Amino acid sequence: VINSDVSRMVSPLGLYYAPDPSSQSVCTIGGNVAFNSGGAHCLKHGMTSNHVLGIKVVLPDGEVVRLGGNSRETIGPDWTGFFVGSEGLFGIALELTLRLTRIPQRYQTILAAYRDLELAGNAASQIVASGLLPGAIEIMDRLAMKAAEAAVGEAYPIGSGAVLIVELEGEAKEFEVEFQILQHIIAGSGAVEVRAARDDSERAAIWKGRKGAFSSVGRLSPDYIVQDGVVPRTRLGEALREIQRLSTQYNIPIANVFHAGDGNLHPLILFDGGQPGTLQKAEEIASQILDMCIRLGGSITGEHGVGIEKRQHLPKMFSKSDLCVMNRLRKTIDPVELSNRGKMLVVAETNVNSEKAETTRNSGHYAGPASPENLLQPRTLEEVQEAVRQFSQLRIRGGGTKPGLSRAPERVSLIDFRHLSGVIEYVPEEFTVTALAGTPVVEVERLLSSRQQYLPFDPILTRRGATLGGAVAAGTSGSGGYRSGGIRNFILAVCLVDGTGECVRGGARVVKNAAGDLRAGIKEQQFCRFDGQQPHPRGGGKNSTRDSI
């Protein structure tokens, strides 16, 4: 089924399907699932993984199974999130159950023109930092505008070096407040001209130019490479300057179209394949752009997948241990690598990790219930790894608030994480926080509150001492998760110790990432910002905007 046909079918019911890739008029839902596709409006609504509830698939051995179901609430492992974005390595999707979204009461699309790309990027950063969560924040440079003008007839402000497209959506009262804030930001951002769509036809015209930019570039160049990478939003300006430097160095034009709200770059590298050596130059630029994304703390792909083109960059983003885990997962499901052979993963599986674990592991049981003598309290990652390698069974404890969820035998060593506690990094401008698993959730909430931010999935038992790792392990969210989504939707990156004692990392500290994702079902937001307009769902006299990053 074509992506846009879903929305067309359900629109009489006041509903639509939120993920909207630029190719939505021709791309299929099955393809979107394979790559965990995004689109302009995934800033607010999330990727494909946030809108697929269930999947009927054919596994590589021919078995037909159903993953997930009809509800946002799931029990057990998130097999649906595991399958989405696997690029066909885990089987073939046959049937998909999608989560639909109610059509907003109000829309407002604004196009602001700037003298140069950096000013437009700075404006996008100001909007994100304000706490607003528009439906979309997009930027096009002069070359991309020129292509769109030729293809769809959209006339952009004369002399502008870049345009910023911002679309607000929401309930009427909330919308009015946010629109005033947005107007204030745009007015002070240095825009040389601002246009607000007066009706649906003008809104459609603005988006037709943006979504047609990729194909329109074909009017400017006989050949071009569409790249897809992600950088932290606060480093967008640095990334764009580097892209411009590469364009000058190689004397090859690069048109820039990107999802500014989530740092997802789409540089279009223009070249003439009929000229000797130009393809090689274009590919060198594309490779250097991906290296830059990794260097700036981003990802080699936000929504286009890895496929074949980007396989060689995975080892630059992930360690050998990370890649081995990915291969083991793939081969467990498809031992002979029947499905989509040669895509995404190229590192050969080794048994080094498991062999090392077996040679260092002992019988693993203590002769009695947990006591001070057999209570392990690691203080470093290395001590956790040693414990896993040393004992065949371990009972893990964080704050001890949910003992009923762990039915491990009593005669098993207890590993306590209370000493692995503390916030490692907090970047309020990016709306990301990184903390050790033993960190009490109340400590994270206290830190976020100091910058008018909070955890919208409303973790439970926090006042009793629940830890961040325990909340993630149990997948527990409170009533706030009904609107914002569960805890798994807010995990951007993880560092874990697997059953062999190896340290494995997945994800990246960016809000969009489709590269070798070991997490399941991320969403494009991390936590929310207070702005004094709405009552805070947790009480205590604090306020929040319900749909803010």
Side-chain angles (χ1 to χ4, degrees), residues 198 471 515 520 549:
R198 291 170 293 185
I549 291 187

Side-chain angles (χ1 to χ4, degrees), residues 365-376 395 408-414:
H365 291 302
Y366 279 104
S371 65
E373 291 77 28
N374 58 20
L375 175 63
L376 305 177
R395 184 158 56 95
E410 290 186 359
R411 297 172 66 86
V412 172
S413 181
L414 175 66

Side-chain angles (χ1 to χ4, degrees), residues 16 177 194 247 291 377 534:
Y16 75 109
V177 173
V194 180
S247 175
D291 289 340
Q377 294 183 309
Q534 306 269 352

Side-chain angles (χ1 to χ4, degrees), residues 153-173:
E154 175 68 11
Y156 294 99
I158 297 174
S160 57
V163 292
L164 172 70
I165 300 171
V166 184
E167 182 163 279
L168 285 178
E169 59 180 58
E171 300 168 3
K173 291 183 178 180

